[in-house]
Amino acid sequence: MWHLWLALCALALLWPGVLAGCAEAGRCCPGRDPTCFVRGWRLDRVYGTCFCDEACRLTGDCCFDYARACPARPCFVGDWSPWSGCADRCKPTTRVRRRSVRQQPQNGGAPCPPLEERAGCLEYSTTLGRDCGHAFVPAFITTSAFNKERTRQVASPQWSTRPEETGYCMEFKTESLTPHCALETRPLMRWTQYLREGYTVCVDCQPPAMNTESLRCSGDGLDSDGNQTLHWQAIGNPQCQGTWKKVRRAAQCSCPSVHSFIFI
């Protein structure tokens, strides 16, 4: 009996009988928490101090049951809200849309994506419905993808049903641009990364950027003889700007999508 008791004691020292872990201790801690530990088996089969905080995944000292007791839950977000109106009228500014967090990330789950996006915009009428926003000297441009988001506001005096308001395309050869264009990383502004010196770009003139009286877009350079240096600026990133020269006017734009823009 005495020898059996000694053998049992030896086995207990080599193989602890209680598999203590995160589940038994009821612990799952966010971030790095040096106080979030128990005595038990680690994933590397070492018995001793093991942790139940998110940082243990990086340090490799999680308790054996961490993945089961503290499952990773990614962030979940809701749908984007509709775009807001322009922050100001009659001058280049920004619009915004937001989404909310439905579930915060837990236990090392994927973090939340951006919850807010901003994009450039320009309103062409005052709150009283008066025409404005067409007096800017430089051409304000944005990605041609924005044209798909425009909706006709039938009640607005800015919209006309005259058949001659079909719009037109201006082709320019880019002469210069600031380095801020290539450094832009915001999702809705990455189109500026495709602006390059020496490239020919297409800029579409369509309502509501087209003035209802002159049937022109501000800064279109239509009156230029092709040798005049014209200025442009990216809506949403005022530091992204440059110069170009007129190539020609066309009925429709035919440039690749990454080199296709619209007056705004």
Side-chain angles (χ1 to χ4, degrees):
M1 182 66 70
W2 175 255
H3 295 289
L4 179 59
W5 183 82
L6 288 177
L8 291 174
C9 289
L11 287 173
L13 291 174
L14 292 174
W15 304 99
V18 179
L19 294 176
C22 301
E24 182 177 329
R27 309 207 68 182
C28 289
C29 307
R32 183 181 295 276
D33 187 350
T35 66
C36 190
F37 66 88
V38 297
R39 293 287 295 176
W41 288 101
R42 298 192 332 204
L43 289 176
D44 57 5
R45 300 181 182 180
V46 174
Y47 186 84
T49 300
C50 61
F51 289 83
C52 302
D53 61 343
E54 291 179 3
C56 76
R57 291 179 179 270
L58 298 176
T59 55
D61 51 9
C62 296
C63 293
F64 73 96
D65 66 341
Y66 177 80
R68 175 173 54 83
C70 309
R73 293 186 173 87
C75 175
F76 285 112
V77 296
D79 295 330
W80 287 110
S81 68
W83 283 106
S84 69
C86 291
D88 204 345
R89 306 181 77 88
C90 302
K91 66 179 182 180
T93 181
T94 57
R95 58 199 175 110
V96 64
R97 66 177 180 176
R98 298 181 176 90
R99 54 186 174 184
S100 59
V101 176
R102 298 286 179 84
Q103 175 182 284
Q104 292 286 353
Q106 297 177 2
N107 307 322
C112 295
L115 302 178
E116 180 179 289
E117 286 187 338
R118 293 180 178 271
C121 65
L122 177 61
E123 293 285 358
Y124 290 91
S125 63
T126 67
T127 54
L128 299 178
R130 294 177 181 174
D131 186 28
C132 68
H134 294 278
F136 298 103
V137 175
F140 290 98
I141 63 170
T142 188
T143 171
S144 60
F146 177 61
N147 212 29
K148 300 176 183 178
E149 300 176 18
R150 286 175 165 168
T151 55
R152 287 186 174 271
Q153 303 172 15
V154 179
S156 172
Q158 297 305 303
W159 294 105
S160 172
T161 57
R162 288 187 292 175
E164 61 267 26
E165 286 196 20
T166 57
Y168 56 93
C169 178
M170 295 299 300
E171 292 183 8
F172 301 95
K173 184 176 181 180
T174 307
E175 297 285 312
S176 66
L177 68 159
T178 59
H180 300 87
C181 303
L183 299 176
E184 181 62 73
T185 58
R186 290 174 294 172
L188 292 178
M189 290 299 300
R190 287 177 184 160
W191 58 271
T192 64
Q193 297 177 358
Y194 297 100
L195 289 162
R196 297 283 192 278
E197 293 182 3
Y199 277 53
T200 298
V201 299
C202 295
V203 188
D204 209 7
C205 177
Q206 298 287 343
M210 179 188 291
N211 186 285
T212 55
E213 298 300 325
S214 67
L215 303 183
R216 296 269 302 275
C217 285
S218 178
D220 63 4
L222 191 58
D223 300 326
S224 170
D225 60 5
N227 294 318
Q228 181 181 356
T229 297
L230 307 170
H231 294 268
W232 57 267
Q233 178 179 312
I235 284 288
N237 182 355
Q239 293 182 303
C240 175
Q241 52 187 277
T243 61
W244 54 29
K245 291 183 178 180
K246 183 187 79 172
V247 176
R248 69 185 181 107
R249 169 176 172 163
Q252 293 182 336
C253 289
S254 58
C255 296
S257 59
V258 293
H259 294 147
S260 296
F261 310 103
I262 61 170
F263 291 104
I264 192 169

